[in-house]
Amino acid sequence: MKPLLFLHFIFLQTLLYSTLASTTNQMLVLPLKTQEIPTGSFPRSSNKLPFHHNVTLTVSLSVGSPPQNVTMVLDTGSELSWLHCNSTSTNSTSTRPMFNPNTSSSYSPITCSSPTCMTQTQDFPIPASCDSNQHCHATLSYADASSSEGNLASDIFGIGGSNVPGTIFGCMDSGYSSNSEEDFKTTGLMGMNRGSLSFISQMKFPKFSYCISGSDFSGMLLLGNNNFTWLMPLNYTPLVQISIPLPYYDRAAYTVKLQGIKVSNKILPLPKSILEPDHTGAGQTMVDSGTQFSFLLGPAYNALRNEFLNQTSRILRVLDDPNFVFQGAMDLCYLIPVNQTSLPSLPSVGIMFGGAEMSISGEKLLYRVPGETRGKDSVWCFTFGNSELLGIEAYVIGHHHQQNMWMEFDLEKSRIGFAQVKCDLASQRFGLYN
């Protein structure tokens, strides 16, 4: 099944922190896009889920001298930012957006003797090495078993009219190819996790926030401090940090403490042992903007699935097709008449963290599968999946369940804050929409 493709425009609102060049705190607007990318057209790093397709949040900016326009996926689950590079054609003549290092006078490869080349990151399943020019050579592996190679480099990144020199990224120029038209809309990935090479770490922002509408995907992303009195108080949950490396634990991820799950007001009887990482690091809970839906470990998923199924037995018709599993991990789907304009009232799902609870309700609980119908019915699937069916031993909270929430990632105080908010109204307050 190949999903229908769609492209919506949203906007990025950027509040620059005073560490950027010589600028003072200011508010700048950048364009963002939300796009659905089908199978194989956009590679994921080795620790990402192998989705059949994925809706991604993308930001447009410029790189190099003179500046070249690039489009990058905003991903809080990855560290190294990277671009598809092409040293033989320029962006102005290439069908697919690519970065051409040969035309940038400010482009500088990282040497293999540089401390940067020796930085340990989970993004590199194979340690960086030297190429024939003594440049730092990196290999990235993807969930579909493909890989991409290139050099670490630095260049000027242009953010809303402010130029940030010396930004380190991967210039990936071999090993990956795709014939999909959607691949021609994205140049690379902007890593936003807590690793030292991530974009947010290099920019030295103390925090960033975003808000995505559930209806038209209008929204905003703010980089830097924000003290807006009109924002309701955020509920904060601390980021979990461990001092020792564990084989299945990503220490650079935005990891929070999962304390429970409930459907309506019924708390699921889940033992604490399955809600926290074990001695190998398996079982951490990550908040990830680079993942569309949310995925739970098998026992937690099964308990949630059964309770949601029980509470919706009188209002929804289950799709009885054992051969259909959406995205390989979402096996609870329903039949809803094609001409039905709204969903029935659904029981909410509460994800309980230390100090805060994320309430998921309404249309965020079911997703209409593009192109899937059964007679006069469309197919809608429960927006939680079983991560173990994907070979991932972790809980992942995707951006679909973050819609119409103000999400704040506070690196300075090591916490994540969130609150329910109408993101389209928030955008209007920033003058983004009429």
Side-chain angles (χ1 to χ4, degrees):
M1 183 274 295
K2 183 177 181 180
L4 297 176
L5 307 179
F6 65 88
L7 182 64
H8 298 279
F9 288 93
I10 63 178
F11 288 91
L12 169 69
Q13 179 78 24
T14 302
L15 183 65
L16 287 184
Y17 192 53
S18 59
T19 55
L20 277 182
S22 59
T23 62
T24 57
N25 284 344
Q26 56 182 301
M27 198 172 292
L28 303 171
V29 180
L30 296 172
L32 259 181
K33 297 178 183 179
T34 298
Q35 57 189 356
E36 186 164 345
I37 300 180
T39 305
S41 65
F42 190 81
R44 309 300 299 172
S45 57
S46 57
N47 62 334
K48 303 295 288 188
L49 302 175
F51 296 124
H52 291 292
H53 73 281
N54 194 51
V55 172
T56 57
L57 310 175
T58 65
V59 56
S60 297
L61 62 156
S62 65
V63 180
S65 304
Q68 301 175 37
N69 295 329
V70 300
T71 303
M72 305 179 75
V73 173
L74 187 74
D75 189 1
T76 61
S78 295
E79 177 174 354
L80 181 70
S81 300
W82 54 264
L83 297 170
H84 289 301
C85 287
N86 189 336
S87 59
T88 59
S89 63
T90 63
N91 281 350
S92 59
T93 60
S94 176
T95 305
R96 165 173 151 186
M98 303 183 81
F99 175 69
N100 188 346
N102 286 350
T103 64
S104 174
S105 61
S106 51
Y107 176 85
S108 178
I110 302 296
T111 64
C112 56
S113 60
S114 168
T116 299
C117 192
M118 303 174 189
T119 301
Q120 296 294 318
T121 167
Q122 191 165 330
D123 283 5
F124 300 156
I126 302 174
S129 60
C130 282
D131 68 6
S132 58
N133 296 316
Q134 299 301 302
H135 295 158
C136 187
H137 187 76
T139 299
L140 299 180
S141 295
Y142 309 121
D144 62 359
S146 64
S147 63
S148 182
E149 298 183 36
N151 288 335
L152 293 189
S154 67
D155 209 330
I156 296 174
F157 275 57
I159 309 174
S162 295
N163 292 325
V164 186
T167 303
I168 297 168
F169 67 103
C171 196
M172 315 311 285
D173 58 9
S174 68
Y176 173 73
S177 63
S178 171
N179 295 321
S180 168
E181 292 181 1
E182 286 300 291
D183 186 44
F184 292 87
K185 297 176 181 177
T186 309
T187 320
L189 179 143
M190 180 181 287
M192 293 285 283
N193 72 9
R194 294 191 286 170
S196 61
L197 292 181
S198 76
F199 187 82
I200 194 72
S201 296
Q202 291 190 62
M203 298 300 105
K204 294 182 171 58
F205 291 118
K207 67 176 66 170
F208 66 96
S209 311
Y210 55 74
C211 193
I212 310 162
S213 171
S215 56
D216 58 4
F217 288 89
S218 61
M220 65 186 75
L221 168 74
L222 280 79
L223 303 178
N225 277 314
N226 58 77
N227 296 301
F228 306 120
T229 56
W230 55 267
L231 263 180
M232 66 180 67
L234 301 182
N235 297 311
Y236 288 97
T237 184
L239 291 170
V240 176
Q241 308 209 39
I242 65 170
S243 57
I244 58 173
L246 297 175
Y248 297 107
Y249 192 95
D250 184 352
R251 290 193 292 170
Y254 293 102
T255 301
V256 293
K257 184 177 178 59
L258 179 61
Q259 292 190 329
I261 301 172
K262 64 183 182 180
V263 181
S264 295
N265 292 318
K266 182 177 180 179
I267 298 178
L268 302 180
L270 299 171
K272 277 190 174 182
S273 59
I274 70 168
L275 299 178
E276 54 191 28
D278 62 18
H279 66 283
T280 70
Q284 72 183 115
T285 301
M286 302 177 284
V287 180
D288 185 7
S289 70
T291 295
Q292 182 181 3
F293 300 112
S294 296
F295 296 87
L296 313 176
L297 291 182
Y301 169 74
N302 290 332
L304 173 60
R305 181 191 188 280
N306 292 339
E307 184 58 35
F308 189 83
L309 183 62
N310 179 59
Q311 292 194 26
T312 58
S313 60
R314 296 184 179 181
I315 58 175
L316 292 174
R317 287 184 296 139
V318 175
L319 170 66
D320 187 14
D321 184 355
N323 296 320
F324 182 80
V325 180
F326 183 48
Q327 292 201 2
M330 303 158 79
D331 61 357
L332 178 56
C333 299
Y334 297 93
L335 294 174
I336 296 176
V338 173
N339 58 1
Q340 186 169 319
T341 57
S342 62
L343 294 174
S345 179
L346 301 173
S348 63
V349 173
I351 308 297
M352 304 158 65
F353 305 112
E357 179 179 320
M358 179 178 288
S359 180
I360 301 164
S361 60
E363 292 188 354
K364 287 192 287 186
L365 289 167
L366 295 181
Y367 179 79
R368 183 173 180 173
V369 181
E372 282 290 330
T373 58
R374 299 292 189 276
K376 295 183 179 180
D377 295 319
S378 54
V379 176
W380 294 66
C381 291
F382 191 41
T383 52
F384 289 86
N386 187 340
S387 61
E388 292 181 9
L389 292 179
L390 300 174
I392 302 296
E393 291 289 331
Y395 296 89
V396 183
I397 309 300
H399 67 71
H400 182 82
H401 290 151
Q402 301 170 38
Q403 292 174 3
N404 280 323
M405 288 189 185
W406 191 275
M407 300 292 301
E408 178 184 278
F409 296 75
D410 189 338
L411 286 76
E412 203 167 49
K413 296 184 178 179
S414 191
R415 61 184 184 174
I416 293 179
F418 51 88
Q420 298 277 357
V421 64
K422 289 289 186 181
C423 293
D424 53 348
L425 298 180
S427 299
Q428 291 176 17
R429 283 185 172 269
F430 286 94
L432 295 178
Y433 306 99
N434 295 327

PDB file of all heavy atoms in Angstrom, residues 311-330:
ATOM      1  N   GLN A 311     -13.418  -0.284  25.597  1.00  0.00           N
ATOM      2  CA  GLN A 311     -14.204   0.933  25.837  1.00  0.00           C
ATOM      3  C   GLN A 311     -14.829   1.501  24.563  1.00  0.00           C
ATOM      4  O   GLN A 311     -15.674   2.399  24.641  1.00  0.00           O
ATOM      5  CB  GLN A 311     -13.333   1.992  26.517  1.00  0.00           C
ATOM      6  CG  GLN A 311     -12.919   1.632  27.932  1.00  0.00           C
ATOM      7  CD  GLN A 311     -12.354   2.815  28.711  1.00  0.00           C
ATOM      8  OE1 GLN A 311     -12.673   3.966  28.428  1.00  0.00           O
ATOM      9  NE2 GLN A 311     -11.512   2.527  29.697  1.00  0.00           N
ATOM     10  N   THR A 312     -14.421   1.019  23.404  1.00  0.00           N
ATOM     11  CA  THR A 312     -15.001   1.510  22.144  1.00  0.00           C
ATOM     12  C   THR A 312     -15.845   0.440  21.442  1.00  0.00           C
ATOM     13  O   THR A 312     -16.270   0.635  20.306  1.00  0.00           O
ATOM     14  CB  THR A 312     -13.896   1.979  21.185  1.00  0.00           C
ATOM     15  OG1 THR A 312     -12.975   0.895  20.934  1.00  0.00           O
ATOM     16  CG2 THR A 312     -13.144   3.168  21.748  1.00  0.00           C
ATOM     17  N   SER A 313     -16.098  -0.671  22.116  1.00  0.00           N
ATOM     18  CA  SER A 313     -16.777  -1.806  21.472  1.00  0.00           C
ATOM     19  C   SER A 313     -18.188  -1.458  20.992  1.00  0.00           C
ATOM     20  O   SER A 313     -18.686  -2.060  20.042  1.00  0.00           O
ATOM     21  CB  SER A 313     -16.833  -3.000  22.433  1.00  0.00           C
ATOM     22  OG  SER A 313     -17.555  -2.655  23.610  1.00  0.00           O
ATOM     23  N   ARG A 314     -18.824  -0.497  21.622  1.00  0.00           N
ATOM     24  CA  ARG A 314     -20.199  -0.158  21.262  1.00  0.00           C
ATOM     25  C   ARG A 314     -20.283   1.010  20.287  1.00  0.00           C
ATOM     26  O   ARG A 314     -21.381   1.327  19.801  1.00  0.00           O
ATOM     27  CB  ARG A 314     -21.006   0.171  22.524  1.00  0.00           C
ATOM     28  CG  ARG A 314     -21.166  -1.003  23.474  1.00  0.00           C
ATOM     29  CD  ARG A 314     -22.045  -0.645  24.662  1.00  0.00           C
ATOM     30  NE  ARG A 314     -22.230  -1.778  25.559  1.00  0.00           N
ATOM     31  CZ  ARG A 314     -22.962  -1.748  26.659  1.00  0.00           C
ATOM     32  NH1 ARG A 314     -23.614  -0.623  27.000  1.00  0.00           N
ATOM     33  NH2 ARG A 314     -23.078  -2.816  27.415  1.00  0.00           N
ATOM     34  N   ILE A 315     -19.177   1.662  20.005  1.00  0.00           N
ATOM     35  CA  ILE A 315     -19.242   2.860  19.156  1.00  0.00           C
ATOM     36  C   ILE A 315     -18.407   2.731  17.889  1.00  0.00           C
ATOM     37  O   ILE A 315     -18.556   3.541  16.974  1.00  0.00           O
ATOM     38  CB  ILE A 315     -18.804   4.120  19.938  1.00  0.00           C
ATOM     39  CG1 ILE A 315     -17.372   3.960  20.478  1.00  0.00           C
ATOM     40  CG2 ILE A 315     -19.781   4.424  21.067  1.00  0.00           C
ATOM     41  CD1 ILE A 315     -16.839   5.209  21.165  1.00  0.00           C
ATOM     42  N   LEU A 316     -17.539   1.720  17.806  1.00  0.00           N
ATOM     43  CA  LEU A 316     -16.691   1.553  16.627  1.00  0.00           C
ATOM     44  C   LEU A 316     -16.742   0.117  16.132  1.00  0.00           C
ATOM     45  O   LEU A 316     -16.878  -0.817  16.924  1.00  0.00           O
ATOM     46  CB  LEU A 316     -15.233   1.930  16.948  1.00  0.00           C
ATOM     47  CG  LEU A 316     -14.919   3.398  17.243  1.00  0.00           C
ATOM     48  CD1 LEU A 316     -13.462   3.534  17.681  1.00  0.00           C
ATOM     49  CD2 LEU A 316     -15.209   4.293  16.043  1.00  0.00           C
ATOM     50  N   ARG A 317     -16.611  -0.038  14.807  1.00  0.00           N
ATOM     51  CA  ARG A 317     -16.559  -1.371  14.202  1.00  0.00           C
ATOM     52  C   ARG A 317     -15.111  -1.737  13.895  1.00  0.00           C
ATOM     53  O   ARG A 317     -14.409  -1.014  13.185  1.00  0.00           O
ATOM     54  CB  ARG A 317     -17.371  -1.401  12.906  1.00  0.00           C
ATOM     55  CG  ARG A 317     -18.875  -1.372  13.101  1.00  0.00           C
ATOM     56  CD  ARG A 317     -19.582  -1.493  11.763  1.00  0.00           C
ATOM     57  NE  ARG A 317     -19.308  -0.352  10.899  1.00  0.00           N
ATOM     58  CZ  ARG A 317     -19.070  -0.434   9.609  1.00  0.00           C
ATOM     59  NH1 ARG A 317     -19.014  -1.622   9.004  1.00  0.00           N
ATOM     60  NH2 ARG A 317     -18.856   0.655   8.892  1.00  0.00           N
ATOM     61  N   VAL A 318     -14.654  -2.842  14.428  1.00  0.00           N
ATOM     62  CA  VAL A 318     -13.263  -3.266  14.258  1.00  0.00           C
ATOM     63  C   VAL A 318     -13.061  -3.843  12.854  1.00  0.00           C
ATOM     64  O   VAL A 318     -13.916  -4.568  12.331  1.00  0.00           O
ATOM     65  CB  VAL A 318     -12.880  -4.317  15.317  1.00  0.00           C
ATOM     66  CG1 VAL A 318     -11.465  -4.842  15.071  1.00  0.00           C
ATOM     67  CG2 VAL A 318     -12.987  -3.722  16.709  1.00  0.00           C
ATOM     68  N   LEU A 319     -11.931  -3.510  12.247  1.00  0.00           N
ATOM     69  CA  LEU A 319     -11.534  -4.133  10.982  1.00  0.00           C
ATOM     70  C   LEU A 319     -11.008  -5.534  11.286  1.00  0.00           C
ATOM     71  O   LEU A 319      -9.972  -5.694  11.928  1.00  0.00           O
ATOM     72  CB  LEU A 319     -10.451  -3.298  10.289  1.00  0.00           C
ATOM     73  CG  LEU A 319      -9.765  -3.959   9.077  1.00  0.00           C
ATOM     74  CD1 LEU A 319     -10.772  -4.155   7.938  1.00  0.00           C
ATOM     75  CD2 LEU A 319      -8.578  -3.131   8.618  1.00  0.00           C
ATOM     76  N   ASP A 320     -11.735  -6.536  10.823  1.00  0.00           N
ATOM     77  CA  ASP A 320     -11.343  -7.926  11.083  1.00  0.00           C
ATOM     78  C   ASP A 320     -10.511  -8.438   9.912  1.00  0.00           C
ATOM     79  O   ASP A 320     -10.999  -9.153   9.038  1.00  0.00           O
ATOM     80  CB  ASP A 320     -12.586  -8.786  11.292  1.00  0.00           C
ATOM     81  CG  ASP A 320     -12.237 -10.205  11.732  1.00  0.00           C
ATOM     82  OD1 ASP A 320     -11.072 -10.423  12.123  1.00  0.00           O
ATOM     83  OD2 ASP A 320     -13.123 -11.087  11.661  1.00  0.00           O
ATOM     84  N   ASP A 321      -9.251  -8.042   9.881  1.00  0.00           N
ATOM     85  CA  ASP A 321      -8.341  -8.432   8.797  1.00  0.00           C
ATOM     86  C   ASP A 321      -6.951  -8.655   9.383  1.00  0.00           C
ATOM     87  O   ASP A 321      -6.162  -7.723   9.511  1.00  0.00           O
ATOM     88  CB  ASP A 321      -8.306  -7.358   7.716  1.00  0.00           C
ATOM     89  CG  ASP A 321      -7.457  -7.759   6.511  1.00  0.00           C
ATOM     90  OD1 ASP A 321      -6.821  -8.832   6.563  1.00  0.00           O
ATOM     91  OD2 ASP A 321      -7.417  -6.989   5.528  1.00  0.00           O
ATOM     92  N   PRO A 322      -6.641  -9.898   9.768  1.00  0.00           N
ATOM     93  CA  PRO A 322      -5.343 -10.175  10.400  1.00  0.00           C
ATOM     94  C   PRO A 322      -4.156  -9.914   9.476  1.00  0.00           C
ATOM     95  O   PRO A 322      -3.017  -9.837   9.942  1.00  0.00           O
ATOM     96  CB  PRO A 322      -5.438 -11.657  10.769  1.00  0.00           C
ATOM     97  CG  PRO A 322      -6.471 -12.220   9.841  1.00  0.00           C
ATOM     98  CD  PRO A 322      -7.458 -11.113   9.607  1.00  0.00           C
ATOM     99  N   ASN A 323      -4.392  -9.770   8.179  1.00  0.00           N
ATOM    100  CA  ASN A 323      -3.299  -9.522   7.239  1.00  0.00           C
ATOM    101  C   ASN A 323      -2.972  -8.043   7.091  1.00  0.00           C
ATOM    102  O   ASN A 323      -2.011  -7.684   6.409  1.00  0.00           O
ATOM    103  CB  ASN A 323      -3.659 -10.101   5.860  1.00  0.00           C
ATOM    104  CG  ASN A 323      -3.796 -11.608   5.880  1.00  0.00           C
ATOM    105  OD1 ASN A 323      -3.015 -12.300   6.538  1.00  0.00           O
ATOM    106  ND2 ASN A 323      -4.804 -12.126   5.193  1.00  0.00           N
ATOM    107  N   PHE A 324      -3.776  -7.171   7.727  1.00  0.00           N
ATOM    108  CA  PHE A 324      -3.517  -5.743   7.624  1.00  0.00           C
ATOM    109  C   PHE A 324      -2.993  -5.216   8.947  1.00  0.00           C
ATOM    110  O   PHE A 324      -3.697  -5.220   9.957  1.00  0.00           O
ATOM    111  CB  PHE A 324      -4.784  -4.979   7.227  1.00  0.00           C
ATOM    112  CG  PHE A 324      -4.550  -3.502   7.050  1.00  0.00           C
ATOM    113  CD1 PHE A 324      -3.986  -3.008   5.890  1.00  0.00           C
ATOM    114  CD2 PHE A 324      -4.872  -2.601   8.059  1.00  0.00           C
ATOM    115  CE1 PHE A 324      -3.760  -1.647   5.718  1.00  0.00           C
ATOM    116  CE2 PHE A 324      -4.651  -1.250   7.908  1.00  0.00           C
ATOM    117  CZ  PHE A 324      -4.090  -0.774   6.729  1.00  0.00           C
ATOM    118  N   VAL A 325      -1.743  -4.785   8.947  1.00  0.00           N
ATOM    119  CA  VAL A 325      -1.119  -4.157  10.112  1.00  0.00           C
ATOM    120  C   VAL A 325      -0.488  -2.861   9.623  1.00  0.00           C
ATOM    121  O   VAL A 325       0.490  -2.882   8.881  1.00  0.00           O
ATOM    122  CB  VAL A 325      -0.063  -5.070  10.765  1.00  0.00           C
ATOM    123  CG1 VAL A 325       0.564  -4.378  11.966  1.00  0.00           C
ATOM    124  CG2 VAL A 325      -0.682  -6.398  11.163  1.00  0.00           C
ATOM    125  N   PHE A 326      -1.052  -1.740  10.020  1.00  0.00           N
ATOM    126  CA  PHE A 326      -0.578  -0.444   9.545  1.00  0.00           C
ATOM    127  C   PHE A 326       0.829  -0.163  10.063  1.00  0.00           C
ATOM    128  O   PHE A 326       1.107  -0.292  11.249  1.00  0.00           O
ATOM    129  CB  PHE A 326      -1.549   0.647   9.987  1.00  0.00           C
ATOM    130  CG  PHE A 326      -1.211   2.020   9.488  1.00  0.00           C
ATOM    131  CD1 PHE A 326      -0.907   2.246   8.160  1.00  0.00           C
ATOM    132  CD2 PHE A 326      -1.206   3.096  10.357  1.00  0.00           C
ATOM    133  CE1 PHE A 326      -0.600   3.516   7.699  1.00  0.00           C
ATOM    134  CE2 PHE A 326      -0.914   4.369   9.913  1.00  0.00           C
ATOM    135  CZ  PHE A 326      -0.604   4.577   8.576  1.00  0.00           C
ATOM    136  N   GLN A 327       1.715   0.202   9.148  1.00  0.00           N
ATOM    137  CA  GLN A 327       3.119   0.508   9.455  1.00  0.00           C
ATOM    138  C   GLN A 327       3.821  -0.641  10.173  1.00  0.00           C
ATOM    139  O   GLN A 327       4.831  -0.454  10.840  1.00  0.00           O
ATOM    140  CB  GLN A 327       3.235   1.800  10.274  1.00  0.00           C
ATOM    141  CG  GLN A 327       2.842   3.041   9.494  1.00  0.00           C
ATOM    142  CD  GLN A 327       3.401   4.312  10.078  1.00  0.00           C
ATOM    143  OE1 GLN A 327       4.135   4.315  11.063  1.00  0.00           O
ATOM    144  NE2 GLN A 327       3.072   5.422   9.454  1.00  0.00           N
ATOM    145  N   GLY A 328       3.295  -1.832  10.054  1.00  0.00           N
ATOM    146  CA  GLY A 328       3.950  -3.007  10.611  1.00  0.00           C
ATOM    147  C   GLY A 328       3.851  -3.140  12.110  1.00  0.00           C
ATOM    148  O   GLY A 328       4.403  -4.080  12.684  1.00  0.00           O
ATOM    149  N   ALA A 329       3.136  -2.209  12.769  1.00  0.00           N
ATOM    150  CA  ALA A 329       3.101  -2.246  14.232  1.00  0.00           C
ATOM    151  C   ALA A 329       1.760  -1.829  14.816  1.00  0.00           C
ATOM    152  O   ALA A 329       1.589  -1.885  16.020  1.00  0.00           O
ATOM    153  CB  ALA A 329       4.199  -1.339  14.794  1.00  0.00           C
ATOM    154  N   MET A 330       0.812  -1.414  13.966  1.00  0.00           N
ATOM    155  CA  MET A 330      -0.464  -0.891  14.452  1.00  0.00           C
ATOM    156  C   MET A 330      -1.579  -1.807  13.939  1.00  0.00           C
ATOM    157  O   MET A 330      -2.009  -1.706  12.798  1.00  0.00           O
ATOM    158  CB  MET A 330      -0.629   0.554  13.980  1.00  0.00           C
ATOM    159  CG  MET A 330       0.531   1.438  14.447  1.00  0.00           C
ATOM    160  SD  MET A 330       0.797   2.934  13.487  1.00  0.00           S
ATOM    161  CE  MET A 330      -0.470   3.980  14.161  1.00  0.00           C
TER     162      MET A 330
END
